[in-house]
Amino acid sequence: MFRPPRPERHRPSFLLASSAFFLVVFTTFTTFKLSSEPQLSSTRVRSSARPFVPLPREGLRLRTQRQRASPVSPKVEDELKGLFEVHKRSYKVFAEQDGDTVKMKTHAVSFEVQEDIPVVDLETELEQHGQMRKGQIASNGFRYIILQNPVPAGRFEAHLQMHVGSIEEAEDEQGVAHIVEHVTFLGSDKRSVLFGTGSESNAYTDFHHTVYHISCPVASQGTSALPPNTKLLPLALDALREIAFEAKMLNSRIEKERLAVLSELSMMTNMEYRMTTQEICELHSETILPKRFPIGDEATIRKVHPDKVRAFYKRFYHSDRADLFIVGDVDIDKTEALVRKKFESIAPSPTYLARQAMKVGALAGLKEYNETLEKIPDFDPRNDWRIRPQVKHRFTSENRVSEPTTPAIFKHEMIPSLNLVMCAKVPVQPIRTKGDLRAFVLNRLVVACLGWSLTSKVRPNPPLSGIEFDHSDSMSESCAVTTLKIYSRPYEWQDMLGVALKDVRRAFKRGFSQAELDCMVNSMLADSKQAAQQSGNIPSSEIVGSLLEAELLGHTFMDFNYYHELLEEVTKTITLEDVNAHARQLLEYIAEYGQDDSPLPAAILACVPGAPEGVEEVVDIHPETIQEELMKRPAEEEEEDEVEALDQLVTPEALEYLQSVNKPEWSEVAQGMLTVKDPETGVVMKRLSNGIRINFKKTDNTPNTISIAAVSPGGLSRETVQHPAAVKLGVQAIMQGGSFGNYTREMVDLFSMRKLMNINFGVNLESITWDLMAPTETLDDLMQFLMLVYSDLRWNEKAFYSAKELFNSNYDAVTKSLEMASADMLVRAVANDDPRFWGPPKDVIEALDMETVKEELQKQLCTENLEINIVGDFDEDLLEESVLNHLGAIPKTSKCAPLYQEDIVHIQPDPSRQHQKIELPDDQKRAIGYLTGVAPNRWGYSEQTPSTTRKEGFWSFGKSPSEKDKERRAHPMFAPACIELIEKMVSTELYSYLRDSQSLVYHTKFEVGINERLPANDWLIVINSEHQNVDRAVNEAAKCLRNIRFSPHMLQSSKRSVLHFHETESTSDSYWINMLRGLQDESIPEKKVEAISEYKHILSEITLDDVREVWKSFKTSDKDIYTCVGVSGG
């Protein structure tokens, strides 16, 4: 596959705190995504006790040379310059003109200290990870990095990075680098030896690199090709060697992968991708990048001769362009010896030999050799443009002119909303010294403080859709990019831009407050501390990607604990003046746009919804209009409200009162038992007197972290025909602006951010769930949060209408997306236009009022069937005490019947719309296909397949099973195990048939729905194919389902894959959260705690007859399969 030019630089929408620098500074990933998807954060911060004068952090600050930010003009500043002492804190006086009056204001800028200031040498080089070894094979230049990491045990990651990307392509080779990646990877016979061992592999291409990666167990458990305990690292290295240096490059494989690349191109070139490429074109217009997108040029891909593909491979795939990364449960000495053994015999490239010869001559002191050596230098694949095609950036900091950048406009009728992006680019700053780290931290603090302020402007205001501010390195584009991006409805873009510019200019002119900075620094340090505590539990799959990126960007790869110590040291050198001065530097290209001698933005691009020919434009926007808006300066700036910082959500006095009204008590969870504990899994079950069920499991998977899922059964399946979408809208309204008690939403947001609490509120067909994750020391805070949510939830009318606006915008977006419009059409046919399942359309949303929505949602948020699932690193006694004291004080509320609406189960699809096709207007040919049908739920039940039943305590399929069969089929986990194996086997067979045999698709997968409570479910297949092949691909997929024949090899291979998945995932808390869900839910009687530990055993015991019989409950006949094909550009 190809790697998109610039991946999303933002974290998930509901991430509340500044969440970890994965693995250290090398990620250089600092961003806030601010959108209509709400985030719990706020604007300006103050301490409730001492506004803008929080207590000083421990430690001393080091003064370093820096620019001072001038809040007002130099003339006024000279007249008013002065510092005065208050509680050993320095304040800066600045003035604000208001007519004839000058208002005097102050900002705290630093602490004065009497002790000696400790010396921090910012030139000190950083130490690399102690468990890492770098090396190079002198004979051919092959480089390797080995890092020992024991998580997960018995596995390793091997990534081979070739410094060959799309920039190496000639004009008539666009897409050849991508084809070579496919041909070498999928044409490797030695890679296929690893199939069925629990190994996973993939590859990608970007502008500068092609990466092949293999994830393997250290030893095989035995396959048809390999005996048990076969060491797999040698085989993985054999495969990587074949891929990079010994590929066969057969014509048949080239033609097969040509078709696959074309299908991938059709799949990827959606509107989001096209807007991204437009941004790349504007941002890097002075370079070759806009002419060398990794996906390739369709016309070139179709006609390029196989000889040209082979020639490209021969020209660039050499050992001195290779970096091998091995991370995992390996011995470093033995692994290094093995790497040298496997790759020493690779012939060196002519250029490498020439460079080595020049070195020999230089050492001998020969003049002619010395002169030639300068012409053939050492090859640094990261940035040596003397060897590779030149990508010379025009950086914003070096480009100051009086004429502002002219905005570009990309207009298309399939664009759902208006996006406006304003970018600057600077060189990547490698992080190798303490000073480099300090600069990185300054970047992060500026982005965090500004993002904090912007968030609160967006979330509660219906017209505003989103603001994203970001500064991050891009290894693909070999530069760092600062981005301000706004999203809005087309006719409200000026309002949105005005909101963004106001905050940016406030930060540029006045800077941030000491309270804001302290909040962000404390959050950063708490985050780093938690990451250090978890350093021994980071999986190799995460580490290797970060290591690869660090090497490419020139960063020092460090251990978490060492990094945290550095961060504590470096943050002591950072003052408010430093951060504000850095903010002026980072934001100048926005705040001073159009002013004389201001830095020139690298790009300004508006992606605008267009109108079909002959129809009036959606919005009249021109480059001059955008420039005018960017250069507007408000006459005066308003002071912003300050948000009180809470130390706790429930005071001891309030808690004592609530406990006196609702006395917390445990009740029996089973006959005569207040506690049930499973000795095999360590899972504990308890129940409170108000009906709340508690399931918890102590783990050391993620040290100092606790994860919670508060699950209320019901979800969308409880919505009535009279009030469809009420629950869905209610959940969104709470996320937009819900609160509790006497607290404002901003106060709750700030509290959550300071405590590093990640919170999400979501709904699916069967349940409503609060998902929470935070450091263990916030256990009481998490319990207080849940306590207030389920006892004193407050609604906000403005947020309710904001949620309505969001649903209406999303509905409009569906009609402009090929994928969503096709899926929507299929769902409407299968659900027979029931609005609880599709849309929801605007008229349904508009018909709902807040009281109705509130009532429908509150019905489900009752204590009697509420289940709290807790997994993490905690003391069990303290957990039980906190749960009892807080959740036990929630007033009891009774559950409502029914659990789901009966009519949902009996909805019949519309046979007149069994096979549909939708065509959207577009200038690019694209296609997507969907197939769906009836399946049993995850426990094997389906009212529509009564022939498959559980009689006399075991699953019966109309035959007389043996006693051994009865025992196996009586186990509660029998059906879930069969269904999971079926999912894997059918997916593998579909992929093999449609891609490898028929060359019709790039990717396809068979998935079964997640329903557990409803006696109904479905299966789904997504087809990614070319325009001219999609109809045939859909038909062949249906044919494959009808004719599938499960074989012993398929079953054994799938068992290994599924068992590997469970073994790997069982080391994560999220896995155990899912295992706990429903343990005390009467609507899922089969899910028992004792059965969880037996799942792997039952899975290994499933027979081919079991799978074949359960497969019969999946409806796959001609009359049962419903399809929808979406095409565009035809």
Side-chain angles (χ1 to χ4, degrees), residues 687-733:
R687 188 170 297 190
L688 292 164
S689 58
N690 57 12
I692 298 177
R693 299 99 189 276
I694 309 296
N695 306 316
F696 66 83
K697 175 179 169 61
K698 178 179 171 60
T699 73
D700 58 1
N701 296 330
T702 313
N704 191 36
T705 300
I706 185 168
S707 298
I708 301 175
V711 182
S712 297
L716 302 180
S717 62
R718 278 215 74 252
E719 291 184 337
T720 63
V721 176
Q722 292 76 27
H723 303 299
V727 173
K728 193 184 302 184
L729 180 60
V731 168
Q732 185 61 45

Side-chain angles (χ1 to χ4, degrees), residues 990 993-994 998 1000 1031-1041:
L990 274 172
Y993 178 68
L994 295 178
Q998 301 296 315
L1000 289 173
D1031 290 310
R1032 183 183 164 208
V1034 167
N1035 291 334
E1036 291 295 328
K1039 175 183 173 183
C1040 181
L1041 287 185

Side-chain angles (χ1 to χ4, degrees), residues 4-242:
R6 283 173 68 203
E8 283 291 328
R9 294 189 174 98
H10 57 80
R11 294 200 173 96
S13 324
F14 296 110
L15 203 59
L16 308 186
S18 313
S19 171
F21 305 175
F22 284 107
L23 231 4
V24 280
V25 315
F26 44 79
T27 17
T28 317
F29 179 85
T30 309
T31 180
F32 267 73
K33 171 74 181 290
L34 314 166
S35 69
S36 53
E37 294 175 321
Q39 301 171 52
L40 301 182
S41 66
S42 183
T43 55
R44 303 178 69 84
V45 190
R46 66 178 172 85
S47 164
S48 57
R50 302 169 64 190
F52 292 104
V53 191
L55 294 174
R57 292 190 299 277
E58 293 181 1
L60 306 175
R61 300 178 189 274
L62 171 68
R63 296 280 182 173
T64 58
Q65 282 192 326
R66 56 186 175 270
Q67 285 185 317
R68 288 181 176 271
S70 295
V72 294
S73 69
K75 180 179 179 181
V76 176
E77 189 180 33
D78 288 340
E79 294 173 358
L80 301 172
K81 187 181 298 182
L83 293 172
F84 57 92
E85 295 295 319
V86 178
H87 301 298
K88 292 187 178 181
R89 179 184 291 273
S90 296
Y91 284 78
K92 189 70 168 284
V93 179
F94 68 94
E96 190 176 78
Q97 193 77 25
D98 183 11
D100 297 330
T101 305
V102 176
K103 297 179 180 179
M104 305 292 291
K105 297 187 179 181
T106 63
H107 269 189
V109 293
S110 65
F111 292 105
E112 294 295 328
V113 294
Q114 298 173 346
E115 297 88 350
D116 292 334
I117 297 176
V119 176
V120 178
D121 184 2
L122 297 179
E123 299 301 317
T124 302
E125 291 191 358
L126 305 177
E127 300 174 11
Q128 75 173 23
H129 198 294
Q131 297 298 314
M132 184 171 71
R133 181 176 297 173
K134 294 183 179 182
Q136 184 175 28
I137 299 175
S139 61
N140 58 22
F142 185 88
R143 292 171 297 277
Y144 57 85
I145 297 178
I146 304 167
L147 178 66
Q148 189 177 50
N149 184 63
V151 180
R155 290 191 69 85
F156 67 87
E157 301 280 332
H159 289 215
L160 182 64
Q161 174 179 253
M162 299 301 300
H163 291 273
V164 181
S166 57
I167 63 164
E168 262 80 17
E169 296 167 345
E171 188 68 26
D172 61 347
E173 292 178 324
Q174 294 181 55
V176 170
H178 189 190
I179 295 175
V180 167
E181 172 228 308
H182 274 244
V183 172
T184 54
F185 181 74
L186 292 162
S188 169
D189 294 331
K190 293 181 179 179
R191 186 180 69 90
S192 64
V193 175
L194 299 170
F195 292 173
T197 62
S199 301
E200 298 172 357
S201 56
N202 213 330
Y204 67 83
T205 303
D206 65 24
F207 286 118
H208 301 287
H209 325 96
T210 301
V211 179
Y212 304 92
H213 48 95
I214 299 176
S215 173
C216 278
V218 170
S220 168
Q221 295 181 348
T223 69
S224 57
L226 299 172
N229 298 318
T230 301
K231 293 182 178 180
L232 296 183
L233 179 56
L235 301 182
L237 297 183
D238 286 341
L240 292 174
R241 172 175 170 143
E242 180 187 43

Side-chain angles (χ1 to χ4, degrees), residues 390-402:
Q390 190 170 24
V391 178
K392 188 174 182 180
H393 293 286
R394 184 172 60 238
F395 294 117
T396 299
S397 55
E398 303 166 356
N399 201 15
R400 292 177 176 269
V401 296
S402 56

